[in-house]
Amino acid sequence: MATATITVKGMTCSGCVNSVTKALKGVEGVQEANVDLQGQKATVTFDEAKTNVAKLKEAIEEAGYDTE
Ligand SMILES: [Cu+2]
């Protein structure tokens, strides 16, 4: 299991946090996703055999937010 902190830009309310959390948890291999609105970041625990940071970023971008 690996943990990554990803910068998420464009979140303005708890609805955004929910959208990003849902998007991340929808990625196969993601075990835990903690999205921080004030910090504009997401801390994700995932199975490295099933997914990677690039895929997590892709899911965030598909939900309509920017990553670094
Ligand atoms: Cu919002």
Side-chain angles (χ1 to χ4, degrees):
M1 218 58 79
T3 301
T5 301
I6 301 166
T7 299
V8 184
K9 292 178 178 172
M11 296 189 294
T12 55
C13 68
S14 59
C16 297
V17 171
N18 285 341
S19 300
V20 174
T21 304
K22 215 170 165 182
L24 287 168
K25 286 191 169 168
V27 177
E28 201 199 340
V30 171
Q31 197 183 56
E32 183 83 55
N34 284 303
V35 181
D36 177 358
L37 175 62
Q38 279 200 319
Q40 296 280 287
K41 64 184 182 188
T43 305
V44 190
T45 303
F46 60 96
D47 183 344
E48 290 167 288
K50 289 182 179 165
T51 191
N52 55 52
V53 173
K55 283 183 187 168
L56 299 176
K57 286 183 175 178
E58 214 176 276
I60 293 168
E61 282 161 16
E62 272 171 24
Y65 302 91
D66 288 327
T67 59
E68 263 182 349

